Amino acid sequence: MKILVQKFGGTSVAKLECMKQVREKVLAGLAQGYKVIAVLSARAGDTNKLLALADEWSSTPDRAEVDSLVSTGEQVSISLFTMLLKDAGIRARSLLGWQIPITTDNDFGRARIRSIDSNSLHKYLKDYDVLVVAGFQGCTEDGRITTLGRGGSDTSAVALAAALGSVECDIYTDVDGVYTTDPNICSTARKMDRVAYEEMLEMASMGAKVLHIRSVEFAKKYKVPVRVRSTFSNDPGTLVTQEDSTMEAVLVSGIAYDKDQARVTLRDLPDVPGTAAAVFGPLSEKGILVDMIVQNTSQDGHTDMTFTVSRKELKQTLEMMEEVAQKTGAREVLHDVSVAKVSAIGVGMRNHSGVAARAFAALTQEGINILMISTSEIKITILIQEKYVELAVRILHDTFGLDWDLG
């Protein structure tokens, strides 16, 4: 049995005309001899409307009930789309997460998938040519509905492909692939034919909205071939796949940026064992992700500690850091929301030196001050003032020749 997983986002199912285009993609898969699993998001705007309802009804909405509420958005999408398929004479049925089941943990609003009943899917595929599955959702072991967090339909699709034996997974969206950078910022950005899992992970972690980061983690772990394509064209898109020697030949593959950043500094912390744990332990307990960290050289037994967090979590972070300052004797807590991250990403960095020097020199020539730096094996990230982000992206894109067609 040949199986193809296709995922369609909110803009792809927003209206009847859009859903008819989605139906053509499904029909094309059937024509190639596949059984198709179509994973659908809620229609564009529906999830936000449901979240607004929750906020209108409750000042502190219960997370489990919010999941039960917002999961209905996908239920609407799959029901309507299955009707379209049946009207076209296709053997199809819709499935909610709990009907498969897709079992998750109990972390409502950002649940993680624990298992998928692939035997159940195979049984359904014997009776139907197309299964229309609600993305973004699953259920706990005791049957409570959960959601996987924003962008979770990507994760649903890749996880289903992994559960079925790492079958091919096409992610359809409103863009025709993965670009070397944001084409809205850089007019010379070009679509990549292939990108390595690790590069895509770094791009997703930097806020690139093409793929949900957890979907890429699934794809890498289970070696699921993922193709990012447009619902509204026949472009072959970009294949996200395992790294090969041709990818390593390219020094930098893409430039990414993230404006959802805030910088927090604790001044004059006592430089003694346990200080870092006192700062970052409470953040970890609350699930607040810390990215870049810099500790200054100790002077007179004191040091400054600076780190970045999402702006959405800044208020809670500042409240916690004020408590930490009181306990540790730090002089003050400062913050800055006018910052952003820019990264140069590429698996070729493993085998080439001088990437950081070239990047820093190019930015210096344009008078862009670097506030913080972090590196990994395949990524160099700098923190700069947000007002320079677009300029920095264009400079780095040009510096590493990403507008050239390397074939």
Side-chain angles (χ1 to χ4, degrees), residues 148-183:
L148 310 182
R150 282 302 179 91
S153 292
D154 288 351
T155 303
S156 300
V158 177
L160 286 165
L164 291 165
S166 298
V167 301
E168 186 176 341
C169 180
D170 289 350
I171 304 291
Y172 284 94
T173 180
D174 54 359
V175 297
D176 58 1
V178 181
Y179 279 73
T180 49
T181 195
D182 185 348

Side-chain angles (χ1 to χ4, degrees), residues 177-245:
V178 181
Y179 279 73
T180 49
T181 195
D182 185 348
N184 294 313
I185 286 180
C186 185
S187 61
T188 58
R190 61 178 177 82
K191 182 173 66 68
M192 294 183 279
D193 294 328
R194 294 158 62 88
V195 62
Y197 291 128
E198 290 186 68
E199 292 172 328
M200 196 67 242
L201 271 173
E202 295 288 10
M203 292 178 188
S205 71
M206 279 293 296
K209 297 177 181 179
V210 178
L211 284 176
H212 193 237
I213 186 168
R214 280 159 57 189
S215 72
V216 187
E217 291 170 347
F218 258 107
K220 180 186 175 186
K221 182 176 181 179
Y222 296 102
K223 297 181 174 58
V224 175
V226 175
R227 190 173 290 277
V228 180
R229 311 181 66 172
S230 171
T231 305
F232 310 109
S233 77
N234 292 318
D235 192 285
T238 300
L239 179 65
V240 185
T241 185
Q242 296 183 74
E243 178 184 336
D244 61 31
S245 58

